[in-house]
Each structure stands twice: as structure tokens, then as C-alpha cells.
Amino acid sequence: MSESRERQVRYEDIKEAHDRLDDDTVVKRTPVEQSTSLGEMVGGEVYLKMEHLQWTGSFKTRGAYNKVSQSVEEGVDEFVAASAGNHAQGVALAATECGAESTIVMPKTAPQAKIDATRGYGGTVELVGQDFQDAMSYAQSEAEDGDAEFVHAYDDPHIVAGQGTLGIEMYEDCPDLDTVVVPIGGGGLISGIATSFDHLSPDTRIVGVQAEGASTVHESLDKGIPVTLDEVDTIADGIATGGISDLTLDLIDAHVDEIVTVSDTEIAQAILLLLERAKQVVEGAAAASIAAVLSPELDVRGETVMPLLGGGNLDMTMLQTVLIHALTDRKQILRLRVRINDAPGKMEEISGIIANHGANIHDVRHDRAVENLSVGDSYLVFRIETSGAEHAESIIRAIESGGYTVEDINQK
């Protein structure tokens, strides 16, 4: 029998964790809200599990407390963990609540808000490496060389069982679910939730979603072993682990029905959509579940579906980046390059056309030193705020009607 098989998580383990977490000062029961807007978009009933409103802003507290509290009972008083942010806060809070010390190793690229929050929960933060794998390697070596117990973000039955308590809540919140959609990083969250549903509601479809730039599950399932990426590239830092474990691979293989991947553009659009329609601020990892529900890869028409919003720790710099990306994709931010005869009054004339169409010019610049540009010609590059794609097209047509050559350089 393989080690991962010996460490399999049973529903009974999750139920014990659920009883252990029955303290709303550590883990609170998060609400569920129906989104009629999303339901209309997909042709079904959509219920949002709003775990981003959990203490620490993430589900990670569940697994961390389940693990740490049991270890403290066995005499452990010092812990070390590696995390891009959410697991860090969960371990720091759990250790502090249990009267223990915690050292959290985070990559140097971790959002400052998550670093500050981890320190606020009582953790000592060390910044090491450029990604989660660098931080993980260092934290494991620190645990091997010292007295602290290493708390893995997902490759631990106690962690998986703690995360699985969400599955119990989601079932109790809505027993007649057809589909549950869960983001996947290392796989601990979906492993626990899927194990719960396999016991409580085996007919419910469990769908996992990964970001394209950090996707490993499809290949891992095909090969039958965990596949690890050398590097990841996604705005969804909460699921940018770059790999799963033997434990979570076995559980995903046994209990998860379907895996989809989504692009960063789809994730950015989902963040913006949740802001506009649900009035909720979530991080990229959480928005991935909404991106999946809206994706053509997943059909939920006529179904009752619950996407999990697993975290709300969105760095404000990242929020700005995401909004610009999403608004540009919608053509609500439009960049136009207009070729002109570089003579007085041309900028005023084109600006007037834009203004007459009710758009706001954010900024404009002259480009004169461009290869193959005729003597006496130049480009005006406008960045414009519009109401959307139709508005943008009407502005382009109006400028062209004025005798100018126009390029939409958002598309370049």
C-alpha cells in the first residue's frame, strides 16, 4: 500500500474536524447568497459560498487550525509553514490561538497586504525566493534542522480534513446542489470538499478549476503521478502552487468529476463582474470558480450550482492591474492611434469628435519618431474611457469618417 493510500482522508475525519472547529471565534460559518445576475448569464441558479468573509479572509484557517490544535495537544509548541499568503495567515492565527509560535516563509513576491496580515496574526515572516516552491523548500529545511513542526499547505490529512468542513457547510446550506465548483492550487481544498460530498450527496458533480498558467491536474491524472511546474504565471497567486501531492492526486482521482482551466483574462473579468454584480471583492483564486461557471468549458444550464469564493485577500495594486486589464478587454479603456498631418488644430479636431461621442480622453501623446512615417506626418495616441465595445466602435467610425486612419492598439 502506498504512503498516500495509508494517509487517505475519510468523511469521518472531516466530521471530527467539523466538530473541532465549532468555535466561531476561530472559524465562522460563512454565508451563501444567490446571484440572480450570474444565474441569468448561465441559465441556472447560482449560489455563492462566501468563504472570502472567513477570519483571515480565506478558507485556510480551517485546515490550519485542525492541524495545529491537534499537534499542540501532543506537545508541539512551534510551527513553520510556507505560503504565498492565505495559508500563512491561517497558520499564524491557529498557532497564536493555541498558544504556540509560528514562522511563516513567504516568497519575496507575496503581496504586502498578506505579509502584513500574517504578522498581525502573530506569525514571524521570512521572505525567501521568488515563488511558492522556493519558500516551500526553505521552510521544509528549517523544520528538518530545528524543533518546529512543518505545516504543509495541502499535503497533510489533517489539513485536507479541515478544508473538507466547507463541504459539510455547503451541503447543509443547499442540499439539492447539482454542481459545486472549487479552485485548485495544491488540491487540499477540493480533496476535502469532494470527499464530503461523496458521502453526503454522491450525485452532486464536483468540478475543479485551475488557472492556465498554473495547471497541473490534467497532466497529473494522465500520468498517474503529481506533475510539478518549474514556474507559474497567473494573477491568481492563491492557486499558484505549481503542483499537487500524491495525497491530493489520489483524492481528486477518486472524488472529483471534472477539471477545467481558465485564463487570467477570464479571472480578471470574473473579479470585475463580482464587484459590479455581487458587490464582493475577491482575489484571483476565488474568482477562478466564477470564471469556470461562465466558461464555455462548463455547462450548468438548468442546474443549481455553487461556486466557492475561497479568499478575499486581494492586494490593492493587483486590483488596479486587474481592473485595467478587464476594462481594456471590454473596450471600456480604449487606446487609439490616429495618423495625422502634423499641423496645428488636428489634436483639437479629433478630441472634439471624441467629446461629441460622449467619451472622456484620459491622456494623449504625439509619436513623431516612428519608422516609415512620412515627413510631416505623426501619430496621436489617445487613451479613452468608453461605456463598452459598441461605444468604442462608434468613436472609431466617427474618426475615420473625418478622413483619418485609425488603429485600435489595444489589440496589438
Side-chain angles (χ1 to χ4, degrees):
M1 181 181 294
S2 70
E3 181 187 357
S4 61
R5 292 293 179 190
E6 291 175 352
R7 297 189 303 153
Q8 278 284 17
V9 177
R10 305 164 303 157
Y11 175 74
E12 290 75 15
D13 302 315
I14 297 171
K15 186 63 172 67
E16 288 175 7
H18 189 255
D19 295 339
R20 188 173 292 111
L21 298 179
D22 189 21
D23 180 351
D24 62 10
T25 65
V26 177
V27 173
K28 60 183 173 181
R29 189 182 187 102
T30 49
V32 168
E33 287 191 7
Q34 184 174 7
S35 174
T36 54
S37 297
L38 284 169
E40 290 172 0
M41 290 179 184
V42 301
E45 292 188 358
V46 177
Y47 292 86
L48 305 176
K49 178 58 174 175
M50 303 173 76
E51 184 68 5
H52 64 297
L53 302 180
Q54 186 58 260
W55 305 125
T56 75
S58 163
F59 70 91
K60 290 287 191 177
T61 307
R62 295 173 182 266
Y65 190 82
N66 190 49
K67 168 71 174 180
V68 168
S69 62
Q70 292 181 77
S71 294
V72 168
E73 290 174 3
E74 296 169 0
V76 179
D77 61 4
E78 187 176 353
F79 298 88
V80 63
S83 171
N86 288 340
H87 181 59
Q89 294 173 66
V91 173
L93 173 63
T96 300
E97 286 290 324
C98 293
E101 300 294 324
S102 63
T103 298
I104 313 298
V105 184
M106 304 175 74
K108 295 176 182 178
T109 54
Q112 188 63 45
K114 293 185 178 182
I115 295 169
D116 293 342
T118 302
R119 289 174 175 149
Y121 288 118
T124 298
V125 176
E126 294 186 23
L127 300 178
V128 177
Q130 295 302 311
D131 56 26
F132 174 75
Q133 295 296 340
D134 291 341
M136 170 80 80
S137 178
Y138 181 84
Q140 288 175 322
S141 67
E142 287 291 288
E144 290 170 2
D145 295 340
D147 297 325
E149 180 173 303
F150 182 69
V151 184
H152 201 286
Y154 52 86
D155 189 25
D156 187 306
H158 296 313
I159 294 290
V160 172
Q163 320 302 28
T165 61
L166 256 172
I168 296 176
E169 280 190 26
M170 295 166 81
Y171 170 76
E172 291 176 347
D173 292 333
C174 194
D176 298 322
L177 287 171
D178 296 302
T179 298
V180 169
V181 184
V182 183
I184 302 177
L189 175 63
I190 196 168
S191 293
I193 289 175
T195 301
S196 291
F197 270 94
D198 199 31
H199 177 85
L200 297 167
S201 180
D203 290 335
T204 298
R205 177 174 58 156
I206 307 299
V207 177
V209 54
Q210 289 202 288
E212 285 180 354
S215 177
T216 61
V217 175
H218 277 303
E219 188 176 357
S220 297
L221 289 170
D222 288 343
K223 293 183 175 180
I225 58 172
V227 173
T228 301
L229 301 176
D230 292 332
E231 58 182 39
V232 295
D233 182 18
T234 177
I235 61 172
D237 60 282
I239 52 175
T241 59
I244 57 178
S245 67
D246 285 318
L247 172 66
T248 56
L249 176 59
D250 280 349
L251 290 167
I252 289 169
D253 191 27
H255 302 300
V256 175
D257 300 294
E258 193 172 339
I259 305 293
V260 299
T261 58
V262 294
S263 68
D264 274 3
T265 295
E266 291 173 305
I267 292 171
Q269 292 287 7
I271 291 173
L272 183 56
L273 185 67
L274 285 166
L275 276 168
E276 291 177 327
R277 301 298 181 89
K279 315 307 176 191
Q280 300 297 320
V281 179
V282 303
E283 59 189 274
S289 62
I290 302 300
V293 169
L294 297 172
S295 167
E297 280 195 59
L298 186 63
D299 185 1
V300 295
R301 286 173 296 178
E303 293 188 359
T304 300
V305 58
M306 183 177 287
L308 174 65
L309 306 182
N313 295 315
L314 180 61
D315 181 75
M316 290 301 101
T317 302
M318 178 57 74
L319 175 60
Q320 180 184 37
T321 300
V322 164
L323 289 177
I324 290 172
H325 183 89
L327 291 171
T328 299
D329 189 64
R330 288 184 180 185
K331 292 186 179 295
Q332 288 180 260
I333 295 177
L334 182 67
R335 289 191 305 147
L336 299 180
R337 186 166 74 170
V338 184
R339 186 164 182 161
I340 64 167
N341 180 347
D342 197 0
K346 296 297 183 182
M347 182 185 294
E348 180 181 6
E349 180 182 339
I350 297 168
S351 297
I353 294 172
I354 294 169
N356 288 338
H357 279 74
N360 183 48
I361 298 173
H362 192 275
D363 55 54
V364 61
R365 74 172 192 269
H366 264 99
D367 276 350
R368 295 183 174 90
V370 180
E371 189 176 358
N372 298 324
L373 195 61
S374 301
V375 175
D377 283 0
S378 67
Y379 289 113
L380 291 174
V381 180
F382 293 89
R383 186 154 60 114
I384 304 166
E385 298 172 2
T386 80
S387 62
E390 290 186 10
H391 190 198
E393 290 303 317
S394 70
I395 293 167
I396 292 171
R397 287 195 300 270
I399 297 173
E400 288 175 336
S401 295
Y404 297 98
T405 300
V406 184
E407 293 178 89
D408 177 359
I409 58 177
N410 278 354
Q411 299 178 359
K412 288 187 174 295

